[in-house]
Coordinates of all heavy atoms in Angstrom, one line a residue:
L11 N 5.1 1.3 -11.5 CA 5.5 0.3 -10.4 C 4.2 -0.4 -9.9 O 3.3 0.2 -9.6 CB 6.2 1.1 -9.3 CG 6.7 0.1 -8.1 CD1 8.0 -0.5 -8.5 CD2 6.9 1.1 -6.9
L12 N 4.3 -1.7 -9.9 CA 3.2 -2.5 -9.3 C 3.7 -3.4 -8.2 O 4.9 -3.7 -8.2 CB 2.5 -3.3 -10.4 CG 1.9 -2.5 -11.6 CD1 1.2 -3.4 -12.6 CD2 0.8 -1.5 -11.0
L13 N 2.7 -3.9 -7.5 CA 3.1 -4.8 -6.3 C 2.3 -6.1 -6.5 O 1.0 -6.1 -6.9 CB 2.6 -4.1 -5.0 CG 2.9 -4.9 -3.7 CD1 3.5 -4.0 -2.6 CD2 1.5 -5.4 -3.2
E14 N 2.9 -7.2 -6.4 CA 2.2 -8.5 -6.6 C 1.8 -8.9 -5.1 O 2.5 -9.1 -4.2 CB 3.2 -9.5 -7.1 CG 2.5 -10.9 -7.3 CD 3.5 -11.9 -7.9 OE1 4.7 -11.8 -7.6 OE2 3.0 -12.8 -8.7
K15 N 0.5 -9.1 -5.0 CA -0.2 -9.5 -3.7 C 0.1 -11.0 -3.4 O 0.1 -11.8 -4.2 CB -1.6 -9.2 -3.8 CG -2.1 -7.7 -3.9 CD -1.6 -7.0 -2.7 CE -2.5 -7.4 -1.5 NZ -2.0 -6.7 -0.3
S16 N 0.3 -11.2 -2.1 CA 0.4 -12.6 -1.7 C -0.7 -12.8 -0.6 O -1.0 -14.0 -0.4 CB 1.7 -12.9 -0.9 OG 1.9 -12.0 0.1
K17 N -1.4 -11.8 -0.1 CA -2.5 -11.9 0.7 C -3.4 -10.7 0.5 O -2.9 -9.7 0.1 CB -2.1 -12.2 2.1 CG -1.2 -11.0 2.7 CD -0.6 -11.2 4.0 CE 0.1 -10.0 4.4 NZ 0.8 -10.1 5.8
P18 N -4.7 -10.8 1.0 CA -5.4 -11.9 1.3 C -5.5 -12.9 0.2 O -5.2 -12.6 -1.1 CB -6.8 -11.4 1.7 CG -6.9 -10.0 0.9 CD -5.5 -9.6 0.8
A19 N -6.1 -14.1 0.3 CA -6.1 -15.2 -0.5 C -6.7 -14.7 -1.9 O -6.3 -15.2 -2.9 CB -6.7 -16.4 0.1
F20 N -7.8 -14.0 -1.8 CA -8.6 -13.8 -3.1 C -7.7 -12.7 -4.0 O -8.1 -12.6 -5.1 CB -9.9 -13.1 -2.8 CG -10.0 -11.7 -2.2 CD1 -10.1 -10.5 -3.1 CD2 -9.8 -11.5 -0.9 CE1 -10.1 -9.3 -2.7 CE2 -9.8 -10.1 -0.4 CZ -10.0 -9.0 -1.3
L21 N -6.7 -12.1 -3.4 CA -5.8 -11.3 -4.3 C -4.4 -11.8 -4.6 O -3.7 -11.3 -5.4 CB -5.6 -9.9 -3.5 CG -6.7 -8.8 -3.5 CD1 -6.2 -7.7 -2.7 CD2 -7.1 -8.5 -4.9
A22 N -4.1 -13.0 -4.0 CA -2.8 -13.6 -4.3 C -2.6 -13.9 -5.7 O -3.4 -14.3 -6.4 CB -2.8 -14.9 -3.6
G23 N -1.3 -13.4 -6.1 CA -0.9 -13.5 -7.5 C -1.3 -12.3 -8.5 O -1.0 -12.3 -9.6
Q24 N -2.1 -11.4 -7.9 CA -2.6 -10.2 -8.7 C -1.8 -9.1 -8.4 O -1.1 -9.0 -7.4 CB -4.0 -10.0 -8.4 CG -5.0 -11.2 -8.8 CD -6.4 -10.9 -8.4 OE1 -6.9 -9.8 -8.8 NE2 -7.1 -11.9 -7.7
W25 N -1.8 -8.2 -9.4 CA -0.9 -6.9 -9.3 C -1.8 -5.7 -9.1 O -2.8 -5.6 -9.6 CB -0.2 -6.8 -10.6 CG 0.9 -7.8 -10.8 CD1 0.7 -9.0 -11.5 CD2 2.3 -7.9 -10.4 NE1 1.9 -9.8 -11.5 CE2 2.8 -9.0 -10.9 CE3 3.0 -6.9 -9.7 CZ2 4.2 -9.4 -10.5 CZ3 4.3 -7.2 -9.5 CH2 5.0 -8.4 -9.9
I26 N -1.2 -4.9 -8.2 CA -1.9 -3.7 -7.8 C -1.0 -2.6 -7.7 O 0.2 -2.8 -7.7 CB -2.7 -3.8 -6.4 CG1 -1.7 -4.1 -5.3 CG2 -3.8 -5.0 -6.5 CD1 -2.5 -4.0 -3.9
G27 N -1.4 -1.3 -7.3 CA -0.4 -0.3 -6.9 C -0.1 -0.5 -5.5 O -0.6 -1.4 -4.7
V28 N 0.8 0.2 -5.0 CA 1.3 0.2 -3.6 C 0.2 0.8 -2.8 O -0.5 1.7 -3.2 CB 2.7 0.7 -3.3 CG1 3.7 0.0 -4.1 CG2 2.6 2.2 -3.6
G29 N 0.0 0.4 -1.6 CA -1.0 0.9 -0.7 C -1.5 0.1 0.4 O -1.0 -1.0 0.6
G30 N -2.6 0.5 1.1 CA -3.1 -0.3 2.1 C -4.2 0.6 2.9 O -4.7 1.6 2.5
H31 N -4.5 0.0 4.1 CA -5.6 0.6 5.0 C -5.2 2.0 5.3 O -4.1 2.4 5.7 CB -5.7 -0.2 6.3 CG -6.4 -1.4 6.1 ND1 -5.6 -2.6 5.9 CD2 -7.7 -1.9 6.2 CE1 -6.5 -3.6 5.8 NE2 -7.8 -3.2 5.9
I32 N -6.3 2.9 5.4 CA -6.1 4.1 5.9 C -6.4 4.1 7.5 O -7.3 3.5 7.9 CB -7.1 5.3 5.4 CG1 -6.9 5.3 3.8 CG2 -7.1 6.5 6.0 CD1 -7.8 6.1 3.0
E33 N -5.4 4.4 8.3 CA -5.5 4.3 9.6 C -6.4 5.5 10.2 O -6.6 6.4 9.7 CB -4.1 4.2 10.3 CG -3.3 3.1 9.9 CD -1.9 2.9 10.4 OE1 -1.5 3.9 11.1 OE2 -1.2 2.0 10.1
E34 N -6.9 5.2 11.4 CA -7.7 6.1 12.2 C -7.0 7.4 12.4 O -5.8 7.6 12.7 CB -8.1 5.6 13.4 CG -9.1 6.5 14.1 CD -9.7 5.9 15.5 OE1 -9.6 4.7 15.6 OE2 -10.1 6.7 16.3
G35 N -7.6 8.5 11.9 CA -7.0 9.9 12.0 C -6.2 10.3 10.9 O -5.6 11.4 10.8
E36 N -5.9 9.3 9.9 CA -5.1 9.6 8.7 C -6.0 10.0 7.6 O -7.0 9.5 7.4 CB -4.3 8.2 8.5 CG -3.1 8.3 7.7 CD -2.4 6.9 7.6 OE1 -3.1 5.9 7.5 OE2 -1.1 7.0 7.8
T37 N -5.4 10.9 6.7 CA -6.1 11.2 5.5 C -5.6 10.2 4.4 O -4.7 9.5 4.6 CB -5.7 12.7 4.9 OG1 -4.3 12.7 4.6 CG2 -6.0 13.7 6.1
P38 N -6.4 10.1 3.4 CA -6.0 9.2 2.2 C -4.6 9.5 1.7 O -3.8 8.7 1.4 CB -7.0 9.4 1.2 CG -8.3 9.8 1.9 CD -7.8 10.7 3.2
F39 N -4.3 10.8 1.6 CA -3.0 11.2 1.2 C -1.9 10.8 2.2 O -0.9 10.3 1.8 CB -2.9 12.8 1.0 CG -1.6 13.3 0.5 CD1 -1.2 13.2 -0.9 CD2 -0.6 13.7 1.3 CE1 0.1 13.6 -1.3 CE2 0.6 14.1 0.9 CZ 1.0 14.1 -0.3
E40 N -2.1 11.0 3.5 CA -1.1 10.6 4.5 C -0.8 9.1 4.4 O 0.3 8.6 4.5 CB -1.5 11.0 5.8 CG -1.5 12.5 6.0 CD -2.2 13.0 7.3 OE1 -3.1 12.3 7.8 OE2 -1.9 14.1 7.8
A41 N -1.9 8.3 4.2 CA -1.9 6.9 4.1 C -1.1 6.4 3.0 O -0.2 5.6 3.0 CB -3.3 6.3 4.1
M42 N -1.3 7.2 1.7 CA -0.5 6.9 0.5 C 1.0 7.1 0.7 O 1.8 6.2 0.3 CB -1.0 7.8 -0.6 CG -0.5 7.5 -1.9 SD -1.0 5.9 -2.5 CE 0.4 4.9 -2.2
V43 N 1.4 8.2 1.4 CA 2.8 8.4 1.6 C 3.3 7.4 2.5 O 4.4 6.9 2.2 CB 3.0 9.8 2.2 CG1 4.4 10.1 2.7 CG2 2.6 11.0 1.2
R44 N 2.7 7.0 3.5 CA 3.1 6.0 4.5 C 3.2 4.6 3.9 O 4.3 3.9 4.0 CB 2.1 5.9 5.7 CG 2.6 4.9 6.7 CD 1.6 4.8 8.0 NE 0.2 4.7 7.5 CZ -0.4 3.5 7.0 NH1 0.4 2.4 6.9 NH2 -1.6 3.5 6.7
E45 N 2.2 4.2 3.1 CA 2.2 2.9 2.6 C 3.3 2.8 1.3 O 4.0 1.7 1.2 CB 0.9 2.6 2.0 CG -0.3 2.4 3.0 CD -0.1 1.0 3.6 OE1 0.7 0.2 3.2 OE2 -0.8 0.7 4.7
A46 N 3.5 3.8 0.7 CA 4.6 3.8 -0.5 C 5.9 3.7 0.2 O 6.8 2.9 -0.3 CB 4.5 5.1 -1.2
K47 N 6.2 4.2 1.3 CA 7.5 4.1 2.1 C 7.6 2.7 2.6 O 8.6 2.0 2.5 CB 7.5 5.2 3.1 CG 8.8 5.1 3.9 CD 10.0 5.6 2.9 CE 11.3 5.6 3.7 NZ 12.5 5.8 2.9
E48 N 6.5 2.2 3.2 CA 6.6 0.8 3.8 C 6.7 -0.3 2.8 O 7.4 -1.3 3.1 CB 5.2 0.6 4.7 CG 5.2 1.5 5.9 CD 3.8 1.3 6.7 OE1 3.0 0.5 6.2 OE2 3.6 2.0 7.7
E49 N 6.0 -0.2 1.8 CA 6.0 -1.2 0.7 C 7.1 -1.2 -0.3 O 7.4 -2.2 -0.8 CB 4.6 -1.4 0.1 CG 3.6 -1.8 1.0 CD 2.2 -1.9 0.3 OE1 2.1 -1.5 -0.8 OE2 1.3 -2.5 1.1
A50 N 7.5 0.0 -0.6 CA 8.4 0.1 -1.8 C 9.5 1.1 -1.5 O 10.4 1.4 -2.5 CB 7.7 0.6 -3.1
D51 N 9.7 1.5 -0.3 CA 10.8 2.5 0.2 C 10.8 3.8 -0.8 O 11.8 4.3 -1.1 CB 12.1 1.9 0.1 CG 13.2 2.6 1.0 OD1 12.8 3.3 1.9 OD2 14.4 2.5 0.6
L52 N 9.6 4.2 -1.2 CA 9.4 5.4 -2.0 C 9.4 6.6 -1.0 O 8.5 6.6 -0.1 CB 8.2 5.2 -2.9 CG 8.3 4.4 -4.0 CD1 6.9 4.3 -4.7 CD2 9.4 4.8 -5.1
N53 N 10.2 7.5 -1.1 CA 10.2 8.7 -0.4 C 8.9 9.5 -0.7 O 8.4 9.3 -1.8 CB 11.4 9.6 -0.6 CG 12.7 8.9 0.1 OD1 12.6 8.4 1.2 ND2 13.6 8.9 -0.6
P54 N 8.4 10.5 0.2 CA 7.2 11.2 -0.3 C 7.2 11.7 -1.6 O 8.3 12.3 -2.1 CB 7.2 12.3 0.8 CG 7.8 11.7 2.0 CD 9.0 10.8 1.4

């Protein structure tokens, strides 16, 4: 499963995995679980 970026401009039209910023106090794993749910409705 890939996600097509629309922003920021330098990534527009390119494909990546789901994900995003790691928020303060969050581990990389916790951010991964949150972002997958927010972007693709993937349960943990």
Side-chain angles (χ1 to χ4, degrees):
L11 181 76
L12 297 178
L13 180 134
E14 185 180 30
K15 293 297 291 175
S16 62
K17 59 184 179 182
F20 75 93
L21 283 177
Q24 296 179 50
W25 292 89
I26 67 169
V28 296
H31 287 91
I32 299 173
E33 295 178 357
E34 188 174 334
E36 202 173 39
T37 67
F39 179 83
E40 291 167 338
M42 187 65 259
V43 170
R44 177 182 52 76
E45 290 285 350
K47 183 68 174 170
E48 290 174 0
E49 293 181 346
D51 199 29
L52 291 173
N53 292 317

